[in-house]
């Protein structure tokens, strides 16, 4: 029996238990998986609890991805590159930190037949997830990464990191309807890393005419998975563009974490299909 958990604050709406339960059922590993609300500053008491309970591993979400770093005995290359951890394996007294977010996102794109090499990627937002995914795109061979963000300074910082660490051209600008239109012409992948269009958020893109500027071969990827099709994705689909929601990333980063916890390398595509199907059947509005 493997004992797992996800920690964060807020945590109530996390789909992690459903993703991991479906995956571990599919690969036939007995498990427990609990959701634990851990507020900022309370990591240390959670770690005591994890030790007492014999927890074998845990996923981390806001606000712990960076705060966990000082507690780790080992940090893998991906987590070190992004300075953030979303998966911890407990081995004896030691904590091993990993980051499966970026590889999970890339795996979800590969499953749709999309590869980053020599592509122009436009990313909206400059928060925690974008910092990781923008670096990953550049690392994996994208030709140019363009960051558009409401607070332009944050986009500039990420661009500077890319310029120093990776071998890709990077540019940034403020996010407005005008800049969106301006950067769409040579865009191969548009990724929305803002909460615009998310369930429970009042704001959305003021208009979607920028999609008319895109090449028909381009893909639109929204990191949001609730609703399953944001207005951005609905409108992109109507324009004949290939679309993807955030469910792919959510499942794939979870499957990579399960490979770490169990030490098993299973067929990602096969388990992905089972997990996706199970989430849809369980009434999660994700597809
Ligand atoms: P974050 O650190 O809070 O960053 C949010 C970004 O969105 C910031 O750049 C912010 O701009 C921008 N933003 C927020 N409200 C905006 C508005 N009204 N208009 C324009 N820009 C706005 O969040 P995060 O953790 O990076 O997450 C970003 C998105 O990814 C969220 O939608 C989240 O649900 C999704 N996500 C998906 C997965 C998955 O597995 N599918 C995993 C993690 C996150 P400022 O810099 O100007 O504040």
């Amino acid at each position: 029996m493997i004992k797992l958990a996800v920690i964060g604050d807020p945590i109530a709406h996390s789909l992690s238990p459903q993703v991991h339960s479906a995956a571990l059922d599919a690969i036939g590993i007995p498990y427990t998986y609990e959701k634990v609300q851990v507020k900022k500053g309370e990591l240390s008491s959670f770690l005591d609890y994890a030790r007492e309970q014999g927890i074998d591993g845990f996923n981390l979400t806001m606000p712990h991805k960076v705060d966990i770093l000082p507690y780790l005995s080992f940090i893998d290359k991906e987590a070190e590159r992004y300075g953030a951890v979303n998966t911890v394996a407990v081995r004896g007294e030691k904590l091993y930190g990993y980051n499966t977010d970026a590889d999970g996102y890339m795996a979800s794109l590969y499953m749709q037949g999309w590869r980053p090499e020599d592509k122009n990627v436009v990313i909206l937002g400059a928060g925690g997830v974008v910092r990781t995914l923008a670096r990953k795109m550049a690392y994996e061979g994208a030709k140019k990464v363009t960051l558009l963000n409401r607070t332009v300074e944050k986009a500039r910082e990420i661009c500077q990191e890319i310029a120093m660490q990776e071998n890709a051209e990077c540019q940034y600008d403020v996010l407005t309807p005008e800049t969106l239109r301006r950067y769409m012409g040579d865009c191969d992948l548009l990724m929305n890393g803002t909460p615009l269009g998310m369930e429970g958020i009042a704001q959305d893109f003021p208009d979607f005419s920028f999609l008319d500027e895109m090449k028909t071969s381009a893909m639109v990827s929204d990191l949001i998975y609730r609703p399953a099709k944001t207005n951005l994705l609905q409108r992109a689909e109507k324009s004949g563009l290939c679309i993807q929601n955030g469910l792919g990333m959510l499942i794939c980063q979870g499957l990579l974490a399960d490979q770490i916890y169990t030490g098993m390398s299973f067929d990602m595509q096969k388990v992905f299909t089972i997990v996706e199907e199970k989430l849809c059947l369980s009434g999660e509005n994700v597809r």
Side-chain angles (χ1 to χ4, degrees):
M1 169 81 73
I2 186 167
K3 290 179 100 172
L4 302 172
V6 57
I7 66 167
D9 183 36
I11 199 68
H13 298 295
S14 169
L15 271 183
S16 275
Q18 288 94 316
V19 169
H20 290 276
S21 302
L24 293 164
D25 283 342
I27 59 174
I29 298 279
Y31 64 90
T32 59
Y33 194 100
E34 62 178 315
K35 232 189 251 191
V36 187
Q37 187 185 28
V38 178
K39 292 187 188 302
K40 193 161 179 74
E42 292 181 356
L43 256 180
S44 180
S45 25
F46 168 74
L47 294 175
D48 290 341
Y49 168 80
R51 240 171 261 124
E52 280 159 31
Q53 297 296 313
I55 286 179
D56 298 295
F58 54 95
N59 299 107
L60 305 95
T61 181
M62 265 192 357
H64 304 302
K65 288 184 172 186
V66 178
D67 294 356
I68 190 73
L69 293 172
Y71 297 96
L72 303 173
S73 302
F74 165 86
I75 305 177
D76 92 325
K77 277 204 303 281
E78 282 283 293
E80 195 170 26
R81 179 178 303 129
Y82 309 124
V85 163
N86 76 336
T87 301
V88 169
V90 184
R91 297 182 186 129
E93 286 297 300
K94 294 188 171 156
L95 303 180
Y96 292 69
Y98 302 84
N99 191 318
T100 64
D101 280 336
D103 278 337
Y105 183 62
M106 296 314 292
S108 74
L109 289 172
Y110 297 155
M111 282 184 195
Q112 286 200 235
W114 194 92
R115 299 203 60 92
E117 292 87 356
D118 295 319
K119 300 280 180 27
N120 290 326
V121 179
V122 179
I123 305 182
L124 312 182
V129 172
V130 166
R131 174 170 243 111
T132 300
L133 299 186
R135 284 280 304 274
K136 184 69 169 178
M137 282 292 166
Y139 179 78
E140 293 292 337
K143 184 164 73 187
K144 185 166 70 184
V145 176
T146 303
L147 293 164
L148 304 180
N149 194 42
R150 182 175 62 180
T151 310
V152 74
E153 179 58 23
K154 286 200 217 161
R156 190 179 67 81
E157 278 171 24
I158 299 176
C159 252
Q160 273 178 342
E161 263 178 42
I162 291 177
M164 280 192 295
Q165 314 278 350
E166 317 292 352
N167 192 23
E169 190 186 329
C170 188
Q171 57 185 4
Y172 62 93
D173 212 330
V174 65
L175 174 61
T176 67
E178 292 69 36
T179 53
L180 257 176
R181 259 196 302 281
R182 190 180 321 142
Y183 290 102
M184 285 305 106
D186 69 349
C187 170
D188 297 301
L189 174 74
L190 173 66
M191 180 206 303
N192 178 33
T194 77
L196 290 171
M198 186 157 79
E199 204 173 275
I201 298 275
Q203 295 104 323
D204 205 336
F205 293 88
D207 81 279
F208 294 97
S209 58
F210 59 89
L211 293 170
D212 301 334
E213 309 296 321
M214 294 183 80
K215 298 185 280 192
T216 51
S217 59
M219 166 135 166
V220 179
S221 166
D222 201 327
L223 299 186
I224 294 167
Y225 50 82
R226 278 206 186 105
K229 270 187 205 165
T230 54
N231 287 328
L232 171 67
L233 291 187
Q234 287 183 34
R235 178 61 213 292
E237 191 174 43
K238 255 191 212 148
S239 302
L241 301 168
C242 189
I243 62 165
Q244 181 203 49
N245 74 8
L247 186 64
M249 174 178 170
L250 179 80
I251 297 177
C252 288
Q253 60 79 26
L255 298 188
L256 291 171
D258 288 333
Q259 293 193 342
I260 292 166
Y261 297 140
T262 62
M264 287 169 67
S265 59
F266 46 80
D267 182 334
M268 285 275 290
Q269 178 74 67
K270 197 169 147 196
V271 181
F272 180 95
T273 308
I274 296 170
V275 174
E276 189 189 34
E277 206 51 52
K278 219 163 183 178
L279 284 177
C280 294
L281 288 175
S282 68
E284 301 295 350
N285 177 27
V286 288
R287 187 169 64 189

